[in-house]
Amino acid sequence: MRVLVTGGLGFIGSHTVVALLENGYDVTVIDNLYNSKLVVKDRIKEITNKDFKTVIADVQDEKALDEIFKDKIDAVINFAGYKAVGESVKKPLEYYDNNLTLTFALLKKMREYGCHNFVFSSSATVYGNPERVPMYETDPVTDATSPYGETKVMIERILKDIAAVTPDFNCALLRYFNPIGAHKSGLLGEDPNGIPNNLLPYIAKVATGELKEVNVFGNDYDTPDGTGVRDYIHVVDLAKGHVLALKKLEQNPGLVIYNLGTGKGTSVLEMIHDYEEATGVKIPYVIKPRRAGDIATSYANCDKAAKELGFHCDYTVLDACRDGYHFQVEEAKRKKEGK
């Protein structure tokens, strides 16, 4: 099966490309390097000892998509899009414009070339401020708490509408919780351009001395220690979930929805303490006001993914902290050496 991975040089995308190559898939990547680096391509090859086609272009570049789809793409995994909750509150127009428009471009090109299998990188943010935790796939998806989340809600609705009138369209909506960690090789990890928006890469940059302290946004939530609780899943486990989703689509199931998480919640302060335990590095932090768009508690029920996909997590939060720190240390060495 030939798979197009959009945003395939990014954090989740790169780990998924590794998993796909290791499972025998023929992979093509398109990435505009907005929040990724070209060197990731070589690192994926080093890990897998396998080659893959890479196109450096935006998903909205119709000519680039034509060249890709002429090679007979069987399935698409879409990671492309802006993804920071806090930034989306400040830049709603940019988020709606980019995330929706690139999805339209991709789906139109799939229809034009007869590609019927689509895996969408959705998010737990579609549950908004949940009525209960853990969250189930059957829970209502109404109003997200940020423009980023709303783009996921809107795209899910679009995909459901397409599936309702397109019998041969197979689509997996994968609602991620919070991906963390890195590849055990130290070659792949989360290294965003600029100041990180997500907790773990921010902690890691504090651990390596690049940043002074961790900003903890809010300590007055209705949680055991007052800080936000999230379901943190190792990115290698999450990547495995995409391979399982592709195998599910080979059964022509129509539209299917799965939560991908651990089913356990970890607070911000617990995560800081876990990181210290895993690495032996002291992490200073400071309490800041709540951040717009954040909710108190979010973690998954993953029984459906376990039953229908055979999905399970092999790694713990401590594993993710160790792997993430290892990547940051190795990345700091590479930067120092100009690699």
Side-chain angles (χ1 to χ4, degrees):
M1 177 182 279
R2 182 168 293 169
V3 183
L4 172 62
V5 183
T6 72
L9 300 183
F11 175 46
I12 306 172
S14 61
H15 287 84
T16 301
V17 171
V18 167
L20 291 169
L21 292 172
E22 289 178 341
N23 280 273
Y25 288 90
D26 183 351
V27 177
T28 296
V29 166
I30 183 170
D31 198 303
N32 66 2
L33 303 182
Y34 172 78
N35 198 31
S36 58
K37 298 176 176 64
L38 186 56
V39 70
V40 170
K41 174 184 176 181
D42 296 328
R43 295 180 185 176
I44 293 172
K45 290 181 181 179
E46 184 176 343
I47 291 169
T48 63
N49 290 315
K50 295 182 179 180
D51 202 359
F52 60 97
K53 183 177 179 181
T54 304
V55 178
I56 304 303
D58 194 278
V59 174
Q60 298 180 53
D61 184 335
E62 187 172 2
K63 187 176 292 186
L65 284 187
D66 278 324
E67 289 302 313
I68 290 170
F69 277 93
K70 284 177 183 176
D71 285 341
K72 185 64 178 74
I73 298 297
D74 299 301
V76 175
I77 302 178
N78 182 27
F79 295 108
Y82 298 157
K83 64 173 189 174
V85 170
E87 182 183 63
S88 76
V89 175
K90 299 174 182 176
K91 298 180 178 180
L93 180 58
E94 287 81 357
Y95 268 69
Y96 287 118
D97 181 27
N98 183 72
N99 291 5
L100 292 170
T101 304
L102 72 83
T103 305
F104 295 148
L106 195 56
L107 290 169
K108 288 177 182 177
K109 200 57 62 177
M110 288 177 64
R111 182 175 63 182
E112 181 180 342
Y113 284 89
C115 179
H116 306 294
N117 300 300
F118 191 68
V119 178
F120 178 55
S121 167
S122 193
S123 165
T125 59
V126 301
Y127 295 113
N129 205 336
E131 297 176 0
R132 63 172 177 174
V133 288
M135 283 103 90
Y136 291 73
E137 291 88 350
T138 53
D139 286 350
V141 172
T142 52
D143 295 316
T145 59
S146 69
Y148 161 74
E150 279 297 317
T151 67
K152 298 296 187 183
V153 171
M154 291 177 180
I155 294 168
E156 281 201 8
R157 288 173 180 162
I158 291 163
L159 293 170
K160 289 176 182 176
D161 287 344
I162 293 171
V165 296
T166 314
D168 58 356
F169 182 65
N170 299 300
C171 179
L173 307 181
L174 301 184
R175 294 173 179 168
Y176 309 162
F177 280 67
N178 293 71
I180 58 173
H183 193 271
K184 62 182 179 182
S185 65
L187 290 169
L188 297 179
E190 190 167 12
D191 188 32
N193 297 324
I195 302 297
N197 286 294
N198 294 333
L199 178 62
L200 257 291
Y202 203 105
I203 291 175
K205 289 190 179 296
V206 172
T208 56
E210 294 181 57
L211 295 172
K212 179 183 177 183
E213 58 198 7
V214 175
N215 295 319
V216 177
F217 295 103
N219 66 343
D220 57 351
Y221 286 105
D222 184 17
T223 62
D225 63 19
T227 64
V229 171
R230 299 290 182 269
D231 187 337
Y232 294 97
I233 177 174
H234 197 297
V235 66
V236 172
D237 284 326
L238 183 59
K240 177 180 65 179
H242 291 77
V243 175
L244 295 172
L246 274 184
K247 291 178 178 178
K248 178 69 176 180
L249 295 190
E250 292 176 22
Q251 302 170 18
N252 298 312
L255 186 135
V256 288
I257 305 171
Y258 300 104
N259 288 336
L260 295 183
T262 66
K264 300 176 182 178
T266 303
S267 76
V268 175
L269 291 183
E270 286 174 335
M271 179 60 73
I272 290 172
H273 297 148
D274 284 345
Y275 199 94
E276 291 175 334
E277 179 183 340
T279 65
V281 179
K282 184 69 176 174
I283 306 296
Y285 64 88
V286 59
I287 304 298
K288 297 278 190 176
R290 292 187 185 190
R291 186 172 53 183
D294 282 345
I295 61 174
T297 304
S298 171
Y299 61 94
N301 177 285
C302 301
D303 291 349
K304 186 180 178 188
K307 181 179 179 181
E308 298 186 12
L309 301 181
F311 176 76
H312 66 275
C313 291
D314 294 318
Y315 300 99
T316 66
V317 167
L318 287 174
D319 293 328
C321 290
R322 277 190 290 266
D323 292 340
Y325 180 64
H326 176 54
F327 167 75
Q328 289 294 337
V329 169
E330 293 301 308
E331 190 71 356
K333 289 179 184 176
R334 288 187 286 263
K335 288 177 180 177
K336 190 173 181 180
E337 296 168 359
K339 294 182 180 179

